[in-house]
């Protein structure tokens, strides 16, 4: 029997979802950074800095940036780990990864890069001090499998950092819906010539687990001391969990 899942509000087969997600990121890659700045008013940069802060990553650490895309987090982690450390930039999508890799080269840093699916990581068990995934988990077909893989590659004592859209503070819901379903697709149409991908963004946020649900998913995958920090009136949440 064909297994189905969500692609935004649509129910699709699991293979179709992977194809659709690939289509979205192939299409938006070129304008991805500009759109992020415009859509969040630059705030995504602060959320990412906060994520790196909360990760506790220090000089000499090994970090795996999953769904790293255009390398915002990898670039920040590199500042933390210094020349003795190791940061891997990874993503399933070649268009996003190429932009990320080139950006790091332009910044004068060459990091190891791997094109891989978060659900099947090509890394040894107990290797990384920190694993991060920013705005990526939402797009994955089997979030439970991806979280288990993240746990596997972490060393005992290491932590995972999940930065993701979440459930906004209720009084702002209507305004946020208006912004997400009217303004974002219009902006995506104008800037990235692709309103549909930004409609998907809004829909995928609505079907992604909220703060408590994601905490439970992480606990179920085996993470301990899971907690989260709400950002931007709860529109975004940063979850942290440890492997012991
Ligand atoms: C919204 S972008 C986030 C990029 C970057 N982390 C950031 O915060 O700007 C989501 C990324 O998740 C990647 N992605 C989606 N499914 C994935 C999977 N199964 N494994 C790894 N990466 C995946 C996409 O290719 C895309 O680059």
């Amino acid at each position: 029997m064909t297994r189905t899942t969500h692609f935004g509000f649509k129910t699709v087969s699991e293979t179709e979802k992977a194809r659709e997600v690939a289509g979205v990121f192939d299409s938006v890659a070129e304008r991805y950074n500009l759109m992020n700045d415009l859509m969040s008013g630059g705030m995504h940069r602060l959320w990412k800095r906060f994520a790196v802060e909360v990760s506790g990553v220090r000089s000499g650490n090994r970090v795996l940036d999953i769904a790293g895309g255009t390398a915002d987090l990898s670039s920040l982690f590199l500042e933390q780990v210094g020349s003795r450390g190791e940061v891997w930039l990874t993503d399933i999508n070649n268009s996003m990864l190429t932009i990320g890799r080139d950006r790091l080269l332009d910044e004068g840093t060459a990091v190891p890069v791997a094109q891989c699916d978060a659900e099947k990581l090509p890394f040894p068990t107990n290797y990384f001090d920190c694993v991060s995934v920013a705005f990526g988990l939402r797009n994955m077909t089997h979030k439970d499998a991806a979280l288990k893989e993240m746990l596997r590659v972490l060393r005992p004592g290491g932590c995972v950092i999940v930065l993701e859209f979440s459930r906004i503070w209720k009084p702002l819901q209507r305004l946020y819906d208006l912004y997400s379903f009217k303004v974002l697709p219009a902006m995506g149409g104008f800037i990235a010539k692709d309103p549909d991908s930004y409609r998907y963004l809004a829909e995928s946020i609505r079907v992604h687990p909220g703060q408590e649900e994601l905490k439970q998913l992480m606990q179920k995958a085996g993470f301990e001391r899971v907690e989260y920090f709400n950002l931007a009136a709860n529109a975004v949440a940063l979850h942290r969990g440890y492997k012991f």
Side-chain angles (χ1 to χ4, degrees):
M1 204 178 67
T2 314
R3 286 157 63 113
T4 58
T5 183
H6 291 290
F7 174 72
F9 290 164
K10 280 194 286 181
T11 300
V12 296
S13 72
E14 289 185 351
T15 24
E16 199 182 333
K17 167 153 179 165
R19 203 170 40 240
E20 296 265 20
V21 169
V24 165
F25 290 103
D26 280 338
S27 161
V28 303
E30 205 59 48
R31 291 295 168 105
Y32 179 81
N33 291 333
L34 174 63
M35 278 298 291
N36 269 358
D37 278 337
L38 291 176
M39 289 185 306
S40 71
M43 278 194 303
H44 74 105
R45 293 168 184 262
L46 300 178
W47 304 332
K48 286 167 180 165
R49 280 208 173 270
F50 180 66
V52 171
E53 191 98 341
V54 166
S55 73
V57 162
R58 358 178 249 281
S59 171
N61 279 176
R62 293 171 176 162
V63 180
L64 173 63
D65 185 12
I66 292 181
T70 56
D72 281 356
L73 272 190
S74 290
S75 172
L76 293 174
F77 276 128
L78 272 165
E79 290 172 15
Q80 298 298 118
V81 304
S83 54
R84 291 189 306 113
E86 197 175 312
V87 177
W88 279 81
L89 170 64
T90 70
D91 199 288
I92 200 168
N93 185 288
N94 190 46
S95 312
M96 293 290 283
L97 205 50
T98 303
I99 292 177
R101 183 205 58 195
D102 290 353
R103 173 252 181 103
L104 292 177
L105 285 173
D106 288 346
E107 287 176 0
T109 40
V111 300
V113 173
Q115 186 176 355
C116 57
D117 186 344
E119 297 179 23
K120 290 176 226 101
L121 292 172
F123 297 102
T125 301
N126 298 337
Y127 186 77
F128 292 100
D129 298 287
C130 176
V131 173
S132 66
V133 55
F135 305 108
L137 191 64
R138 199 182 65 247
N139 302 293
M140 294 170 194
T141 308
H142 305 104
K143 297 174 198 7
D144 51 345
L147 287 169
K148 279 189 185 136
E149 272 295 84
M150 295 176 203
L151 184 74
R152 178 183 69 74
V153 301
L154 264 183
R155 68 159 174 82
C159 73
V160 71
I161 292 292
V162 183
L163 185 62
E164 193 48 273
F165 294 106
S166 208
R167 293 282 172 275
I168 195 161
W169 185 50
K170 267 270 168 268
L172 290 181
Q173 186 72 55
R174 281 169 70 100
L175 198 63
Y176 186 54
D177 283 348
L178 193 73
Y179 177 70
S180 313
F181 291 107
K182 297 279 182 238
V183 181
L184 284 190
M187 217 188 253
F190 188 65
I191 311 275
K193 309 282 171 257
D194 182 1
D196 290 345
S197 290
Y198 287 89
R199 202 163 292 120
Y200 161 71
L201 167 68
E203 292 181 3
S204 67
I205 293 170
R206 299 310 186 282
V207 296
H208 185 66
Q211 285 83 341
E212 277 300 319
E213 245 181 303
L214 179 55
K215 179 178 174 180
Q216 281 166 25
L217 263 184
M218 290 173 67
Q219 285 168 331
K220 207 163 160 212
F223 287 102
E224 293 184 41
R225 280 173 51 193
V226 180
E227 60 181 329
Y228 60 83
F229 307 84
N230 281 317
L231 302 165
N234 309 2
V236 171
L238 175 69
H239 284 68
R240 179 178 61 190
Y242 288 87
K243 173 171 176 176
F244 289 117

